[in-house]
Amino acid sequence: MTQTDLTPQVERRWWALGAVATAQLMVGIDLTIVNIALPSMQTDLGMPDSSRQWVITLFALGYGGLLLLGGRMSDLIGRRRALLVGLTGFALASALGGAATGGAMLLTGRALQGVFGALLTPAVLATLAASFPSPAERGKAFGIYGAVMGSASGLGILAGGVLTEYLDWRWAMYVNLPIAALAAAGVLFAVPPVERTSGVRIDVLGALLATTGLMAVVFGFGRAESDGWSAPATYASLAAGVVLLVTFLAVQARVASPLLPLRVVRDRKRGGSYLAVFSLAIGMFAALFFLTFYLQTVRHYSPIKAGLSFLPLTVGLMVGVRAVSRLLARASVRSLICPGLLTIAAGLALLGLLRPESNYWLQVMPVFLLVGLGAGWVLVTANSTATLGAGPDSAVAGAMVMTSQQVGASLGTALLSTVAGTVAAHSDAVHGFNVAGVGAASFLVVAAFVVYWVLSDRSPDHSR
């Protein structure tokens, strides 16, 4: 390809960033948009309480369980085609869910959203890695992407409240159609078709082990939240998940075309990044869950007011993203990730001071600001580092970031909800949030030191 042929692609790379960031924003919003709309969905479709949680769980199962397979599929069919297939499938799944006439139809739509989201996200990260190879522009591009990804949860809660209150819960699903169409148009315009990665084969056994193992883990954590850790479904799922994932790693070391080449996770910087995102998700998503409950059930905020209350999270995240994107090209990974984890820990520790009558501006908003600030630092650095120099493995390397986040979020929500519920049974709900928040903060402090060691020169690097 000549320099003249490359010029339009270079000029359009920022349009490509806008397209893939819009695609990922759609997926990120759908992780939380139905939380507020769920009571209306249940009432309108006559769903029993036993089926309600599956509206959220099925999306998480499909998305978290298939990300690694989605990364390898992106390599196999090409990232541009993967983006278009993922966007089209996600839009159709959303239309199916929005038109649901019963619970089964809604649940099918949510499960398919997770499946196509798992194909979309790795292709998004692979496109970013290929479009912005230079350190300076890479920092700016991943900064913008990090802001979009980090703000998606808060925007999902806000959008869910607005759409449910002023339109109908179905628009929490239908809203994805124009977003997907806009992103697909951007992909067609700005993302060039590329040759498929040569030699890529689907490791069928590895795909089965990884998918069923991750699904079992996510399902087990979901059951722990609703049924408790001692429930047979909980420990059976978690035990099966661990066995399947250990078997998966053993298989990956022996097959010729592994689903997850172990060199991806053995690289010290990538491994530290995955651990950081996993740790962030444990604390951050549990905190957002607690604060959603606190604002709506303790302070009796309306859905819209509760959604607006999350905006400082986005402000803090934007500040963090702007700062870290300027430092990414010249600062070490550990000097960026570890302070970010400690900043999130400081925000979570403030949950220990929360009271039923706490002032929002003095005692709730600072939690959002600090968690957002730290998340911006960690997510931008981790996403950039995970795909840097990954070459043909960039889609799988990016998929591992989101897999770490999804499993961490599931674990954190289940574990910390159990802690909060146990304390609340002997006291009150807010005291349960206090104890869980301080526990999450303590975990992140320890995690920051572990990540610092993993990223240090003294820890072993198996990237070669």
mmCIF file of all heavy atoms in Angstrom, residues 198-217:
data_model
loop_
_atom_site.group_PDB
_atom_site.id
_atom_site.type_symbol
_atom_site.label_atom_id
_atom_site.label_comp_id
_atom_site.label_asym_id
_atom_site.label_seq_id
_atom_site.Cartn_x
_atom_site.Cartn_y
_atom_site.Cartn_z
ATOM 1 N N SER A 198 -3.394 -13.959 9.222
ATOM 2 C CA SER A 198 -3.087 -15.281 8.676
ATOM 3 C C SER A 198 -2.818 -16.291 9.791
ATOM 4 O O SER A 198 -2.276 -15.945 10.842
ATOM 5 C CB SER A 198 -1.860 -15.189 7.762
ATOM 6 O OG SER A 198 -0.729 -14.735 8.480
ATOM 7 N N GLY A 199 -3.201 -17.514 9.523
ATOM 8 C CA GLY A 199 -2.908 -18.589 10.463
ATOM 9 C C GLY A 199 -3.831 -18.669 11.653
ATOM 10 O O GLY A 199 -3.626 -19.501 12.542
ATOM 11 N N VAL A 200 -4.866 -17.796 11.722
ATOM 12 C CA VAL A 200 -5.766 -17.823 12.866
ATOM 13 C C VAL A 200 -6.733 -18.998 12.740
ATOM 14 O O VAL A 200 -7.364 -19.186 11.702
ATOM 15 C CB VAL A 200 -6.556 -16.505 12.980
ATOM 16 C CG1 VAL A 200 -7.588 -16.603 14.101
ATOM 17 C CG2 VAL A 200 -5.605 -15.353 13.237
ATOM 18 N N ARG A 201 -6.821 -19.785 13.781
ATOM 19 C CA ARG A 201 -7.769 -20.890 13.836
ATOM 20 C C ARG A 201 -8.541 -20.780 15.150
ATOM 21 O O ARG A 201 -8.035 -20.250 16.129
ATOM 22 C CB ARG A 201 -7.049 -22.242 13.781
ATOM 23 C CG ARG A 201 -6.245 -22.476 12.512
ATOM 24 C CD ARG A 201 -7.143 -22.719 11.303
ATOM 25 N NE ARG A 201 -6.370 -23.063 10.122
ATOM 26 C CZ ARG A 201 -5.852 -22.173 9.277
ATOM 27 N NH1 ARG A 201 -6.022 -20.868 9.515
ATOM 28 N NH2 ARG A 201 -5.168 -22.553 8.218
ATOM 29 N N ILE A 202 -9.757 -21.257 15.134
ATOM 30 C CA ILE A 202 -10.538 -21.246 16.364
ATOM 31 C C ILE A 202 -10.207 -22.497 17.173
ATOM 32 O O ILE A 202 -10.369 -23.625 16.693
ATOM 33 C CB ILE A 202 -12.045 -21.196 16.073
ATOM 34 C CG1 ILE A 202 -12.403 -19.861 15.405
ATOM 35 C CG2 ILE A 202 -12.838 -21.360 17.360
ATOM 36 C CD1 ILE A 202 -12.145 -18.655 16.264
ATOM 37 N N ASP A 203 -9.699 -22.298 18.351
ATOM 38 C CA ASP A 203 -9.425 -23.390 19.278
ATOM 39 C C ASP A 203 -10.763 -23.801 19.903
ATOM 40 O O ASP A 203 -11.207 -23.203 20.883
ATOM 41 C CB ASP A 203 -8.426 -22.894 20.337
ATOM 42 C CG ASP A 203 -8.220 -23.875 21.471
ATOM 43 O OD1 ASP A 203 -8.560 -25.060 21.296
ATOM 44 O OD2 ASP A 203 -7.739 -23.440 22.538
ATOM 45 N N VAL A 204 -11.392 -24.804 19.307
ATOM 46 C CA VAL A 204 -12.756 -25.169 19.702
ATOM 47 C C VAL A 204 -12.808 -25.617 21.158
ATOM 48 O O VAL A 204 -13.665 -25.171 21.935
ATOM 49 C CB VAL A 204 -13.303 -26.280 18.779
ATOM 50 C CG1 VAL A 204 -14.699 -26.710 19.244
ATOM 51 C CG2 VAL A 204 -13.348 -25.790 17.337
ATOM 52 N N LEU A 205 -11.879 -26.500 21.558
ATOM 53 C CA LEU A 205 -11.864 -26.964 22.942
ATOM 54 C C LEU A 205 -11.619 -25.802 23.897
ATOM 55 O O LEU A 205 -12.302 -25.665 24.925
ATOM 56 C CB LEU A 205 -10.786 -28.039 23.122
ATOM 57 C CG LEU A 205 -10.617 -28.577 24.550
ATOM 58 C CD1 LEU A 205 -11.919 -29.177 25.063
ATOM 59 C CD2 LEU A 205 -9.487 -29.595 24.600
ATOM 60 N N GLY A 206 -10.651 -24.948 23.558
ATOM 61 C CA GLY A 206 -10.374 -23.786 24.398
ATOM 62 C C GLY A 206 -11.570 -22.857 24.487
ATOM 63 O O GLY A 206 -11.867 -22.315 25.569
ATOM 64 N N ALA A 207 -12.266 -22.656 23.359
ATOM 65 C CA ALA A 207 -13.443 -21.793 23.357
ATOM 66 C C ALA A 207 -14.530 -22.342 24.273
ATOM 67 O O ALA A 207 -15.160 -21.602 25.039
ATOM 68 C CB ALA A 207 -13.972 -21.641 21.933
ATOM 69 N N LEU A 208 -14.750 -23.666 24.203
ATOM 70 C CA LEU A 208 -15.761 -24.285 25.064
ATOM 71 C C LEU A 208 -15.390 -24.162 26.538
ATOM 72 O O LEU A 208 -16.226 -23.817 27.384
ATOM 73 C CB LEU A 208 -15.936 -25.760 24.686
ATOM 74 C CG LEU A 208 -16.651 -26.033 23.356
ATOM 75 C CD1 LEU A 208 -16.591 -27.522 23.023
ATOM 76 C CD2 LEU A 208 -18.096 -25.553 23.409
ATOM 77 N N LEU A 209 -14.120 -24.432 26.857
ATOM 78 C CA LEU A 209 -13.682 -24.360 28.250
ATOM 79 C C LEU A 209 -13.746 -22.944 28.791
ATOM 80 O O LEU A 209 -14.231 -22.700 29.910
ATOM 81 C CB LEU A 209 -12.256 -24.905 28.374
ATOM 82 C CG LEU A 209 -12.078 -26.413 28.176
ATOM 83 C CD1 LEU A 209 -10.602 -26.769 28.076
ATOM 84 C CD2 LEU A 209 -12.739 -27.184 29.321
ATOM 85 N N ALA A 210 -13.249 -21.965 28.005
ATOM 86 C CA ALA A 210 -13.242 -20.579 28.463
ATOM 87 C C ALA A 210 -14.653 -20.035 28.615
ATOM 88 O O ALA A 210 -14.985 -19.382 29.615
ATOM 89 C CB ALA A 210 -12.443 -19.710 27.493
ATOM 90 N N THR A 211 -15.487 -20.306 27.616
ATOM 91 C CA THR A 211 -16.847 -19.770 27.643
ATOM 92 C C THR A 211 -17.656 -20.352 28.790
ATOM 93 O O THR A 211 -18.271 -19.614 29.575
ATOM 94 C CB THR A 211 -17.557 -20.055 26.308
ATOM 95 O OG1 THR A 211 -16.821 -19.424 25.251
ATOM 96 C CG2 THR A 211 -18.974 -19.517 26.324
ATOM 97 N N THR A 212 -17.660 -21.671 28.912
ATOM 98 C CA THR A 212 -18.428 -22.285 29.997
ATOM 99 C C THR A 212 -17.828 -21.964 31.358
ATOM 100 O O THR A 212 -18.559 -21.764 32.334
ATOM 101 C CB THR A 212 -18.501 -23.816 29.810
ATOM 102 O OG1 THR A 212 -17.168 -24.347 29.677
ATOM 103 C CG2 THR A 212 -19.307 -24.171 28.579
ATOM 104 N N GLY A 213 -16.494 -21.878 31.447
ATOM 105 C CA GLY A 213 -15.859 -21.537 32.709
ATOM 106 C C GLY A 213 -16.190 -20.129 33.169
ATOM 107 O O GLY A 213 -16.560 -19.904 34.330
ATOM 108 N N LEU A 214 -16.074 -19.156 32.259
ATOM 109 C CA LEU A 214 -16.385 -17.773 32.613
ATOM 110 C C LEU A 214 -17.867 -17.610 32.927
ATOM 111 O O LEU A 214 -18.242 -16.894 33.868
ATOM 112 C CB LEU A 214 -15.970 -16.836 31.478
ATOM 113 C CG LEU A 214 -14.463 -16.638 31.316
ATOM 114 C CD1 LEU A 214 -14.158 -15.922 30.003
ATOM 115 C CD2 LEU A 214 -13.899 -15.839 32.489
ATOM 116 N N MET A 215 -18.718 -18.259 32.146
ATOM 117 C CA MET A 215 -20.148 -18.182 32.417
ATOM 118 C C MET A 215 -20.482 -18.771 33.788
ATOM 119 O O MET A 215 -21.315 -18.237 34.526
ATOM 120 C CB MET A 215 -20.941 -18.905 31.325
ATOM 121 C CG MET A 215 -21.057 -18.132 30.031
ATOM 122 S SD MET A 215 -22.128 -18.973 28.833
ATOM 123 C CE MET A 215 -22.272 -17.697 27.570
ATOM 124 N N ALA A 216 -19.833 -19.886 34.113
ATOM 125 C CA ALA A 216 -20.090 -20.510 35.413
ATOM 126 C C ALA A 216 -19.661 -19.600 36.560
ATOM 127 O O ALA A 216 -20.363 -19.484 37.574
ATOM 128 C CB ALA A 216 -19.351 -21.846 35.501
ATOM 129 N N VAL A 217 -18.522 -18.921 36.394
ATOM 130 C CA VAL A 217 -18.044 -18.011 37.435
ATOM 131 C C VAL A 217 -18.995 -16.825 37.593
ATOM 132 O O VAL A 217 -19.392 -16.466 38.706
ATOM 133 C CB VAL A 217 -16.616 -17.527 37.110
ATOM 134 C CG1 VAL A 217 -16.221 -16.370 38.007
ATOM 135 C CG2 VAL A 217 -15.623 -18.674 37.270
#
